[in-house]
Amino acid sequence: MAIMRLGRAELKVMDLEKSVDYYTNVIGLEETGRSEGRVYMKAWDEYDHHSIVLQEADSPGLDHLAFKVEKLEDLAQFEKKVELFGCTVRRVSSGARLAEGQAIRIETPTGHQVELYHEIERLGKKVGSVNPHPWPLETRGIAPHALDHCLLTGEDVETATRFFMEALGFKQSEKIMTVDGEVMLGSFLFTGNKAHDIAFVKGPDKKLHHAAFHVDNFYEVLKAADILSRNEVQIEVTPTRHGITRGQTIYFFDPSGNRNEAFCGGYMTYADFPTITWTEDRIGQGIFYHRRELIESFMKALT
Ligand code: FE
């Protein structure tokens, strides 16, 4: 039994049409369906029906994240492990959302809703799967390859980490610790070969810090900045590098205030990857490698 990857994020947005316009024309996702107040979207390099679901709501934030498991039978096994850990879990029936089969919905120790699923309709990549060209001719906006990772906040990062590692089989690529080594302030977790699929930093429970999309290289991050400026989207952090993950990044906000990131690079991981430790006194360099200090909004703006 195994979790393959982050499959989707359902984001709460306040003005559905304005958000669809942003995620379509600025981010460059493709709308793949609508049903019951939700809009389903995918990136051009993704083959499943959707990776982003926009849900109209009174306040922004994250409805849930979902990870795709290898086999349908894995759901029952993960259900047992989650219960054994002491977290609540319930079944979501097939067809509860568009193009999706059954899922299990878990409340994590930080109060976030996380689903595991296997079945989802497959639409295919925009470049096809027979003699494909490397990228489609018609793209809009930033045109990321895929949803990459999400960062959430929670009061107890250590327990959240234990839950993802012990119940869901994630590994830890990096952690941020207080200088005395007593308290975990940040945790970067992967399943597969990425530097992170999900991460936690210490902060209020149930909150979203950002949802990140994968782009090819640093020029694409720079081009994302150009596209954002052209569209007068609020950019929080202009293109730079993370010490943590070594990735290159830009942060900005969707029309509801949900933080987005365009991310590239980062090293590969394997199951035996030795966890990297950052100490709190070097956290500025860990997060913004060049600036070497945090900015206030980055710590405070959460949805
Ligand atoms: Fe990120």
Side-chain angles (χ1 to χ4, degrees), residues 148-151 188 196 199 209-212 242 249 251 261 263 298:
D148 190 83
H149 65 268
C150 285
L151 176 64
F188 300 77
H196 59 340
H209 187 277
H210 67 264
H242 289 306
T249 176
Y251 288 103
E261 178 186 17
F263 175 89
F298 195 75

Side-chain angles (χ1 to χ4, degrees), residues 176 241-244 249 282-289 294 298:
I176 305 168
R241 180 193 286 279
H242 289 306
I244 296 167
T249 176
R282 301 301 285 270
I283 195 172
Q285 200 165 27
I287 293 179
F288 302 123
Y289 188 67
L294 297 178
F298 195 75

Side-chain angles (χ1 to χ4, degrees), residues 229-244:
S229 194
R230 179 176 290 222
N231 287 280
E232 291 175 21
V233 172
Q234 186 194 348
I235 298 173
E236 183 185 36
V237 179
T238 53
T240 187
R241 180 193 286 279
H242 289 306
I244 296 167

Side-chain angles (χ1 to χ4, degrees), residues 32-80:
T32 58
R34 285 189 185 221
S35 156
E36 293 163 35
R38 292 189 178 95
V39 176
Y40 296 76
M41 314 187 94
K42 74 184 268 297
W44 67 263
D45 210 12
E46 292 171 331
Y47 38 85
D48 284 345
H49 186 273
H50 52 266
S51 61
I52 290 288
V53 185
L54 302 178
Q55 177 201 121
E56 191 153 41
D58 295 332
S59 57
L62 180 70
D63 178 88
H64 76 282
L65 286 183
F67 294 92
K68 190 174 186 181
V69 299
E70 253 176 36
K71 301 182 295 292
L72 188 59
E73 307 84 80
D74 293 349
L75 295 183
Q77 295 198 41
F78 277 116
E79 197 171 26
K80 275 186 223 143

Side-chain angles (χ1 to χ4, degrees), residues 243-269:
I244 296 167
T245 74
R246 289 186 215 144
Q248 294 113 66
T249 176
I250 176 170
Y251 288 103
F252 46 98
F253 293 99
D254 82 359
S256 307
N258 294 309
R259 187 185 284 97
N260 290 159
E261 178 186 17
F263 175 89
C264 73
Y267 48 73
M268 285 186 74
T269 53

